[in-house]
Amino acid sequence: MIFISILLLLICQESKNIEINPSKTIFWGPGLKPDKITMRARYIFLQFVDLKGKNLTESPGKDIISVFIQGQTSIGYTCHVWTQILDCKDGSFIVRYKLHNTCFNLKLKIKMKHNNLPILSMEFKGPIYEEECYCPNPSINNWLSDLECLKNYKQIHNDLISFTNVNFDKIRKSIIKAYDRPGSVSLCHYVVQSNKIFRECYGRYVGFKIFMDSILLSITRKVLLPDIEFFVNLGDWPLVPKEGKNYPIFSWCGSFDTKDIVMPTYDITESSLEAMERVMLDMLSVQGSTDTPWKEKIEKVFWRGRDSRRERLDLIDISRKYPDLFNVSITNFFFFKDEKDKYGPGQSHVSFFNFFKYKYQLNIDGTVAAYRFPYLLAGDSLVLKQDSRYYEFFYNDLIPGEHYISVKNDLSNLIERIMWAKEHDQEALQIVKSARKFARDNLLPHNILCYHVALFHEWSKRLKSKIEVLHNMEEVLQPKHSCKCYNADITKTKEEL
């Protein structure tokens, strides 16, 4: 339990006339349990509350809080910790921090900056591991509990319901024969045995194996996975026809016409693993980079993207008829090069964070589902989503009219939907808030880890054939990193204030 100071402090931000009761600040997130949850970037959410006990709905101002995180290495040196504060402009903040080495006696304090009053103070004896440490939790159930993962995932249930007794000894060769088409299909065959990863890939273009390797390496550093065998489709298009043979293929995208087992996309998975490292756009940074208040946003639909679907070209036609409602452009021509003169010229790149200067965002399919959708939901603009036969792992949990505005696949009612939003501004704003809440509850980095582990755990229960490393498989090795694992008994937490 976190004890927050009972001292009542009222802060008046004169420029905005916002009064805060810091003692009622609400905290949540995996960064509150760093001794139990290992991530590259741990994070804590703060929701400020006003004098009437209501959550703030706008930023109380910049630089209102400060963060202090300090610990010691096993030999007494100061731990290297990088911290970042993100103002979500909706009354909430995100504090995230990255450890570069294993820490002990970690002190974490968040204070009101102007008077140095602590609103959160925690101490952890440790060890607190960095992302690169191979120190897996021996209990998958305890790990799932520590991360507060969902007990049941509707999409996992739907995808696995037809796979109750999988014997790869009987179907392995048939799967490889069916999908070993080097020019058009890229497939990797994985085995996890004794928490080590092995694979063999088929196809001419198998570079995307790095994304599957990365999530498996990260997970196995954190928790002992059961022995499993599975095939991963490295392409965008799902592979297994609905009416075809019941082959279990894991894919990043599903469709109404196929029965692939759907995982989180490589895009959101990579951004979840590499936040505060190699990637700039992730589900947390997008929430802290929306600088334009709702009332000041430009009341147009904003969209940028390549020419990967005919409806994207149709969008350009519609926008030219209604220029006051749109700022949309094709950025690159590949699929319809012969129509570049009509729909071009191609426009230069626009930072994704600048999308949210506009009040309305359009999510329109590319070759398959548009993988930007999670980031649009996490932003603070209204999302208009094209109806689609493609879906990601979370689509079935979304509700049209509550989390986004649906638009017909051929965009024939797009203008009607935009006009509704303009005429129902407060209802549109409520949808925006519901979308961000959904993203925070389901699409953050720890949620992505949860989904993968829950999927692999459930999958293992359906495998009847013996899990063996096959002759041509190569081991996917953990990166070299010096890290000592300690007995879990010495890990204790002290929480105060």
Side-chain angles (χ1 to χ4, degrees):
M1 180 178 180
I2 302 166
F3 296 95
I4 302 175
S5 173
I6 61 173
L7 175 63
L8 182 64
L9 174 68
L10 307 182
I11 298 176
C12 180
Q13 296 294 110
E14 294 182 1
S15 61
K16 293 190 176 183
N17 196 30
I18 298 174
E19 293 182 319
I20 302 170
N21 184 347
S23 68
K24 299 297 183 181
T25 303
I26 303 166
F27 299 91
W28 73 96
L32 296 172
K33 299 190 289 185
D35 55 334
K36 296 183 180 296
I37 300 175
T38 300
M39 305 179 72
R40 187 179 304 282
R42 295 168 167 94
Y43 46 92
I44 301 169
F45 282 85
L46 296 78
Q47 174 64 58
F48 282 113
V49 176
D50 67 17
L51 301 186
K52 297 180 180 180
K54 295 183 178 180
N55 291 353
L56 296 191
T57 58
E58 59 180 292
S59 175
K62 292 183 178 180
D63 301 323
I64 193 172
I65 60 174
S66 63
V67 179
F68 172 84
I69 302 176
Q70 189 176 71
Q72 295 178 323
T73 67
S74 60
I75 57 175
Y77 291 122
T78 299
C79 286
H80 182 193
V81 185
W82 178 28
T83 62
Q84 184 180 38
I85 300 172
L86 301 172
D87 180 358
C88 300
K89 312 299 190 302
D90 60 359
S92 67
F93 286 75
I94 302 170
V95 171
R96 59 180 178 178
Y97 58 99
K98 174 185 173 183
L99 303 184
H100 292 265
N101 38 30
T102 302
C103 290
F104 296 85
N105 302 318
L106 188 77
K107 297 179 180 180
L108 188 160
K109 294 183 180 180
I110 301 176
K111 300 179 180 181
M112 303 307 298
K113 197 168 187 178
H114 84 293
N115 64 358
N116 216 31
L117 178 75
I119 56 173
L120 176 68
S121 182
M122 306 178 73
E123 294 184 17
F124 302 89
K125 185 174 181 180
I128 314 297
Y129 295 117
E130 67 272 33
E131 164 67 23
E132 293 79 8
C133 271
Y134 182 88
C135 296
N137 188 324
S139 169
I140 194 169
N141 289 323
N142 287 347
W143 185 91
L144 290 166
S145 177
D146 287 341
L147 267 75
E148 300 179 16
C149 301
L150 296 179
K151 299 293 184 182
N152 297 289
Y153 291 87
K154 185 189 304 182
Q155 189 63 54
I156 292 177
H157 172 78
N158 292 343
D159 287 346
L160 299 188
I161 196 168
S162 63
F163 299 106
T164 56
N165 192 345
V166 179
N167 186 339
F168 273 113
D169 292 339
K170 294 183 177 180
I171 62 173
R172 187 184 298 116
K173 290 183 179 179
S174 297
I175 293 173
I176 294 171
K177 182 178 180 180
Y179 296 108
D180 186 10
R181 304 196 294 267
S184 58
V185 175
S186 298
L187 191 75
C188 279
H189 181 199
Y190 281 89
V191 163
V192 178
Q193 186 184 66
S194 301
N195 223 40
K196 294 182 179 180
I197 304 157
F198 303 86
R199 60 161 158 72
E200 181 177 7
C201 295
Y202 304 86
R204 188 177 303 163
Y205 309 105
V206 296
F208 274 31
K209 66 187 178 186
I210 62 172
F211 297 114
M212 199 65 224
D213 291 352
S214 293
I215 185 63
L216 287 171
L217 289 169
S218 181
I219 288 172
T220 52
R221 289 195 293 267
K222 298 171 174 60
V223 61
L224 288 179
L225 284 180
D227 289 356
I228 51 175
E229 178 178 359
F230 59 101
F231 286 84
V232 174
N233 166 27
L234 300 182
D236 283 331
W237 286 278
L239 290 179
V240 187
K242 185 77 76 176
E243 305 303 324
K245 292 187 177 180
N246 204 30
Y247 289 148
I249 303 290
F250 287 56
S251 290
W252 289 308
C253 181
S255 80
F256 297 158
D257 305 310
T258 54
K259 51 186 175 183
D260 297 45
I261 299 165
V262 180
M263 305 178 293
T265 68
Y266 60 83
D267 186 284
I268 195 171
T269 299
E270 183 190 30
S271 74
S272 297
L273 295 179
E274 298 296 334
M276 296 185 78
E277 185 74 8
R278 293 190 297 105
V279 300
M280 295 293 292
L281 174 63
D282 60 75
M283 290 297 292
L284 298 172
S285 65
V286 72
Q287 296 180 58
S289 302
T290 53
D291 295 326
T292 308
W294 178 256
K295 293 180 181 179
E296 298 176 17
K297 291 182 184 293
I298 301 168
E299 292 197 15
K300 290 185 176 184
V301 172
F302 187 88
W303 180 86
R304 291 291 188 276
R306 60 179 186 154
D307 65 332
S308 48
R309 182 166 292 272
R310 168 56 66 179
E311 289 85 6
R312 294 186 170 197
L313 303 185
D314 295 340
L315 174 64
I316 303 302
D317 286 330
I318 295 171
S319 71
R320 289 172 177 173
K321 294 179 181 178
Y322 300 90
D324 292 341
L325 297 180
F326 294 92
N327 182 340
V328 299
S329 296
I330 301 291
T331 55
N332 185 44
F333 285 86
F334 177 81
F335 295 90
F336 298 94
K337 289 182 178 179
D338 58 331
E339 299 185 57
K340 183 176 181 179
D341 289 342
K342 179 179 180 181
Y343 293 104
Q347 297 295 308
S348 59
H349 171 77
V350 175
S351 168
F352 192 82
F353 300 137
N354 289 333
F355 283 26
F356 300 100
K357 295 182 183 297
Y358 292 79
K359 188 168 280 190
Y360 313 116
Q361 304 294 325
L362 180 61
N363 191 76
I364 186 169
D365 282 353
T367 52
V368 289
Y371 292 170
R372 72 181 71 181
F373 192 28
Y375 309 104
L376 293 178
L377 292 172
D380 62 352
S381 296
L382 179 69
V383 181
L384 298 103
K385 182 190 178 301
Q386 177 196 30
D387 293 339
S388 172
R389 301 192 67 78
Y390 296 105
Y391 57 84
E392 297 179 55
F393 75 101
F394 62 92
Y395 279 25
N396 284 335
D397 296 318
L398 291 167
I399 301 173
E402 180 176 332
H403 301 115
Y404 65 91
I405 298 297
S406 64
V407 176
K408 289 182 180 180
N409 183 265
D410 63 2
L411 308 184
S412 60
N413 67 339
L414 177 57
I415 299 301
E416 173 191 328
R417 296 302 198 197
I418 297 170
M419 297 310 298
W420 178 91
K422 291 173 73 70
E423 294 166 4
H424 298 80
D425 192 66
Q426 288 305 303
E427 292 176 55
L429 178 57
Q430 186 55 51
I431 293 172
V432 171
K433 293 178 179 179
S434 296
R436 174 170 281 190
K437 184 179 186 305
F438 178 90
R440 287 182 172 181
D441 290 343
N442 298 277
L443 301 176
L444 298 186
H446 73 281
N447 302 123
I448 302 305
L449 289 170
C450 280
Y451 195 94
H452 279 98
V453 174
L455 174 59
F456 296 143
H457 189 35
E458 288 302 314
W459 180 242
S460 71
K461 300 173 185 178
R462 290 157 169 76
L463 301 181
K464 304 305 177 184
S465 47
K466 185 178 179 180
I467 306 301
E468 296 181 307
V469 178
L470 302 180
H471 176 66
N472 291 325
M473 287 185 163
E474 61 177 327
E475 184 175 359
V476 182
L477 297 173
Q478 292 285 352
K480 293 182 179 180
H481 183 76
S482 178
C483 176
K484 179 180 178 181
C485 296
Y486 297 82
N487 190 310
D489 291 340
I490 71 170
T491 304
K492 296 181 180 179
T493 303
K494 176 185 177 184
E495 300 171 355
E496 58 184 20
L497 275 182

